[in-house]
Amino acid sequence: MNPLTRTRLPHLNRRTFLGLGAAATGAVLLGGCGSADGEAASSAAPRDGGRLRAVFAGGGAQEVLDPHKTNLYADVARSNALYDKLVEYGNDLGPVPRLAANWRPNSAATSWTVELRQASFHDGRPVRSADVLYSYARIQDPRNALRPRASLEVIDIGRSRAIDDRTIEFACTRPCGDLANVLAAFGAYVIPEGTTDFTRPVGSGPFTFVSFEPGRSFVGRRFADYWDGAPHLEELEILSAPDETARINALLGGQAEYADDLGATSARTYEGDRRLRILRSPRSSMSGFAMKVDRPPFDNVDLRRAMFALVDREELVNTVLGTSGVVGNDLFGKGAKYYADDLPQRTADLEAARALIRRAGAENTRVELLTTGATNGFVEAANIFAEQAGRAGLRIEVKVGEGSTYWTRTLDEGVLSSFRSGAMPIESHLAQRMLSTSAKNYTQWRRPEFDTLFATASATTDEEVRARAYRDMQSQLYSDGGLLVWGFADGLHGLAPNVDGVAEGAPSNTLGYARFDKAWLS
């Protein structure tokens, strides 16, 4: 047995992490980029056994095992261990079959037939059509206010039916040209029919439940009958840490084998360090600020345009993201399919910003910017942005809030907040955050004509019509929207020398990210 599996630390706090030495030595053996479905590249032979400990940014008491309430990356890691979705995104954000073996539309794309692969839940029951329909009905139930609800709204769950135990006919509320993108929605995991209690959850994922302490630790054990092959690891422990310093020190001190979400400074510091390997997930995250367009002062489009003009994206990227980042252009999904890369790249223009601020009547207006230290780089970026706004005559006061409630609070509260998103297709971003009905509309952008364009893009099977509609939507956001996107960055993670088989090249929110069922300890 690997010696690391014989010691379990029940609670890892910041003080414990910061007090660790740097005794680990050796070199990491990792290959090049993985495949589109998140497989790792490696020349080493897999070994079975042991416990891998992965540390993520914590959410305290807000952490959950209900997969339909996932919000933090730690929640995603636990859900990936316990559950499966019908479809996942690959490294290129294209669909990868999971519990769904295949899917096909009728001629009008008003219904889709989905066939399930043969798979079992942890208690031995087969995964059936009834389980999928129950899971989606639970997500769509407005009494639950669950995260994936808006993403699945194109499915008319009341008219959908099980043809047999492994065949589902999904009825659509409108013609749907691409159901796979819907089935891969963030949080759309399948649970057994009738599940209401998640204290000892049962899923169909690669690890079975052992224990969970919110804000501290989750432990899962190898599921020998996993449909995609039993994990090499005997156990997986997902730890929560308060900040990046704690995560990196856990890795250096031998209390974890994987550290999630490291910053550019850590990457520079430890690049080439034999005690760990920096694992890069290309273009994993978008960084920006969300202005709420439904309330003062950002209900004034001139002030929003002033914000677009005053920001120095190069300064933010160079300081906060370093060589892992590229500048943004106030649109989500740089490099992704349908991205409007023909729109002019914005650069800082203080003269234009001051003129727009004057026209908005907002000289010396004080604006509170909500941020949190729980997300790497947020506070640093907020302070730099406040300095930049000051050069244009706008007063931004940075307020640092508590991490576990940050996303819930900033969804509806305040007027300006730090914002970050993992990778996903542009159409998913628009569906989840930019429609009048979107549950995660952080900018409160609601425009009927915008919704109509999205309905056109979603319904058509004509690629040219779809691309034109998405281009028109992005043009509206570029001109009048409330999301200031200043940069995109590779995800940076730390890996111990004795770990292999972790997927490389997998952006966040894709199949290979925060998954450890193909990993092993050497």
Side-chain angles (χ1 to χ4, degrees):
M1 176 180 290
N2 188 290
L4 290 175
T5 65
R6 289 197 288 264
T7 302
R8 181 179 175 203
L9 299 174
H11 179 34
L12 302 176
N13 57 34
R14 190 174 192 276
R15 179 176 295 178
T16 303
F17 280 157
L18 294 177
L20 293 173
T25 60
V28 174
L29 183 60
L30 286 174
C33 291
S35 65
D37 59 0
E39 292 181 358
S42 174
S43 58
R47 294 182 58 186
D48 291 344
R51 172 186 286 186
L52 185 147
R53 297 163 297 181
V55 58
F56 290 78
Q62 303 297 315
E63 295 181 358
V64 296
L65 291 179
D66 183 340
H68 302 151
K69 294 182 179 178
T70 53
N71 195 47
L72 305 168
Y73 284 138
D75 297 332
V76 172
R78 287 187 289 268
S79 293
N80 287 344
L82 291 170
Y83 309 99
D84 281 306
K85 294 193 287 187
L86 294 184
V87 179
E88 278 283 12
Y89 299 126
N91 287 4
D92 63 353
L93 300 183
V96 178
R98 298 302 287 166
L99 288 178
N102 57 72
W103 49 90
R104 59 186 182 276
N106 65 2
S107 59
T110 55
S111 73
W112 287 71
T113 300
V114 175
E115 295 180 4
L116 302 180
R117 69 174 69 252
Q118 193 165 353
S120 299
F121 289 113
H122 301 150
D123 59 6
R125 288 179 289 172
V127 177
R128 303 165 302 130
S129 301
D131 301 306
V132 176
L133 292 171
Y134 172 80
S135 300
Y136 283 19
R138 179 178 187 263
I139 290 170
Q140 288 194 1
D141 188 337
R143 295 172 297 181
N144 294 327
L146 297 172
R147 171 146 189 176
R149 180 185 171 196
S151 304
L152 300 183
E153 57 87 26
V154 72
I155 294 175
D156 187 335
I157 199 67
R159 293 194 301 116
S160 301
R161 66 189 182 98
I163 296 175
D164 57 41
D165 275 353
R166 288 172 51 194
T167 310
I168 307 163
E169 183 182 78
F170 283 116
C172 300
T173 58
R174 60 176 184 272
C176 177
D178 184 11
L179 188 72
N181 189 45
V182 175
L183 303 180
F186 186 90
Y189 296 93
V190 176
I191 61 177
E193 182 181 17
T195 301
T196 57
D197 185 357
F198 293 91
T199 55
R200 297 192 63 83
V202 171
S204 63
F207 294 92
T208 63
F209 174 81
V210 175
S211 64
F212 177 53
E213 298 176 77
R216 296 189 176 191
S217 168
F218 160 86
V219 177
R221 183 171 293 124
R222 170 198 289 135
F223 180 35
D225 295 325
Y226 185 48
W227 66 268
D228 197 26
H232 299 296
L233 300 169
E234 180 63 30
E235 290 185 326
L236 170 66
E237 184 169 16
I238 296 171
L239 300 161
S240 297
D243 54 36
E244 183 206 0
T245 302
R247 294 192 294 277
I248 193 70
N249 279 306
L251 183 60
L252 292 172
Q255 289 184 301
E257 288 73 52
Y258 172 93
D260 191 64
D261 192 20
L262 304 183
T265 300
S266 293
R268 287 192 296 266
T269 301
Y270 296 103
E271 195 79 54
D273 193 312
R274 292 173 61 85
R275 294 174 296 170
L276 58 86
R277 168 69 179 268
I278 299 297
L279 194 69
R280 290 180 180 267
S281 301
R283 297 296 177 267
S284 273
S285 64
M286 177 220 79
S287 296
F289 300 101
M291 299 176 279
K292 287 189 169 52
V293 303
D294 66 336
R295 64 198 68 172
F298 295 116
D299 56 348
N300 187 314
V301 68
D302 285 329
L303 188 58
R304 300 200 296 274
R305 291 172 179 171
M307 298 284 275
F308 293 143
L310 67 83
V311 62
D312 186 335
R313 293 164 178 79
E314 293 281 356
E315 181 183 18
L316 280 163
V317 168
N318 292 338
T319 307
V320 181
L321 304 181
T323 58
S324 71
V326 295
V327 297
N329 199 31
D330 304 324
L331 295 173
F332 178 85
K334 189 178 182 71
K337 186 178 182 181
Y338 303 123
Y339 182 76
D341 55 8
D342 60 323
L343 292 171
Q345 174 62 54
R346 283 178 169 144
T347 57
D349 187 339
L350 291 181
E351 184 178 342
R354 293 187 187 104
L356 286 163
I357 290 171
R358 286 194 299 271
R359 193 158 76 187
E363 297 100 322
N364 295 315
T365 295
R366 185 188 71 84
V367 180
E368 186 175 82
L369 167 54
L370 300 176
T371 191
T372 176
T375 299
N376 186 49
F378 263 25
V379 175
E380 185 179 13
N383 286 325
I384 293 171
F385 184 57
E387 291 178 8
Q388 294 177 354
R391 299 167 197 163
L394 197 65
R395 296 169 53 206
I396 291 182
E397 297 183 3
V398 177
K399 181 178 181 181
V400 181
E402 199 272 324
S404 64
T405 60
Y406 176 77
W407 293 106
T408 301
R409 290 183 57 242
T410 58
L411 178 60
D412 298 309
E413 296 179 18
V415 296
L416 178 65
S417 59
S418 296
F419 189 78
R420 183 180 180 186
S421 172
M424 66 179 69
I426 285 174
E427 49 267 49
S428 297
H429 164 75
L430 295 172
Q432 295 176 24
R433 299 170 180 149
M434 294 298 169
L435 302 182
S436 297
T437 56
S438 295
K440 297 294 180 179
N441 194 334
Y442 284 90
T443 62
Q444 304 297 308
W445 170 266
R446 293 180 175 87
R447 302 291 187 275
E449 66 278 12
F450 188 90
D451 299 344
T452 299
L453 281 170
F454 183 81
T456 298
S458 300
T460 185
T461 56
D462 186 319
E463 185 64 22
E464 185 176 335
V465 173
R466 179 182 297 161
R468 187 164 56 249
Y470 285 136
R471 169 60 174 74
D472 290 347
M473 295 174 75
Q474 291 176 85
S475 180
Q476 287 187 31
L477 294 172
Y478 179 83
S479 174
D480 299 341
L483 189 59
L484 191 164
V485 179
W486 57 264
F488 293 86
D490 296 343
L492 302 171
H493 321 289
L495 206 61
N498 65 325
V499 178
D500 213 331
V502 175
E504 297 191 73
S508 59
N509 297 339
T510 62
L511 175 60
Y513 170 70
R515 289 187 67 96
F516 303 97
D517 50 303
K518 305 300 181 186
W520 66 90
L521 301 173
S522 59

